[in-house]
Amino acid sequence: DDLGGVEDEDGVQFSGPLLAGQGVPVQIVASTNGLLNAWIDWNRNGTWTTAGQPDPLEQIFTNAPLTPGTNFLAVNVPGSALAGPAYARFRFSTAADLGSVGLDPDGEVDDYRVCITALADLRLVQNATPGTVATHHASSRCSRPLTTL
């Protein structure tokens, strides 16, 4: 991260939605050879640890080798992932076995707000206006309002 306060989280791009129980391609741009360690807060408890210990279920990449340029990887979203906004952390370094926090000799840390979506979460809501039905999509927990059909 840039300590000067400049937004520089631009090296990670998900190629689709994070759907519980599905995989999603991710593109990661690296400036040099190195290793990637990354986490997503699948249970949305605000941390990548459980009882103070690293949570292996939330670590999505462990020492994944990256080369200069765009690298193509995949993230498997657990079926137990809770729908709604969550955070992801990506640490790129020449050092191996980095945790989600702590110092490393070189590299970069990028944090992202992501949206986890249930594979199927469609609820019907009775509407006061006859002939219309309001639907609620799970992804709306991140940004979308109710939609009237």
Side-chain angles (χ1 to χ4, degrees):
D1 283 334
D2 184 352
L3 296 177
V6 176
E7 187 78 34
D8 66 344
E9 279 77 10
D10 59 358
V12 178
Q13 181 71 37
F14 290 96
S15 299
L18 296 175
L19 295 171
Q22 302 291 305
V24 62
V26 61
Q27 297 177 25
I28 301 170
V29 177
S31 57
T32 188
N33 292 315
L35 302 171
L36 177 69
N37 286 278
W39 301 260
I40 295 181
D41 186 16
W42 299 125
N43 62 9
R44 299 181 49 229
N45 69 349
T47 182
W48 296 288
T49 62
T50 299
Q53 298 299 314
D55 187 339
L57 298 176
E58 295 197 337
Q59 187 157 9
I60 57 172
F61 298 115
T62 303
N63 301 324
L66 300 182
T67 58
T70 302
N71 296 262
F72 298 92
L73 303 172
V75 173
N76 292 313
V77 182
S80 61
L82 298 179
Y87 287 91
R89 172 163 289 168
F90 292 80
R91 295 189 77 180
F92 177 70
S93 177
T94 59
D97 302 317
L98 294 178
S100 60
V101 297
L103 299 176
D104 67 80
D106 56 24
E108 185 171 348
V109 177
D110 284 351
D111 290 335
Y112 295 87
R113 184 170 189 246
V114 297
C115 182
I116 302 168
T117 304
L119 186 57
D121 183 14
L122 179 64
R123 288 182 276 156
L124 296 178
V125 180
Q126 185 175 1
N127 195 329
T129 306
T132 63
V133 176
T135 61
H136 178 79
H137 302 275
S139 60
S140 67
R141 292 185 189 120
C142 295
S143 63
R144 283 195 262 169
L146 285 173
T147 303
T148 301
L149 298 176

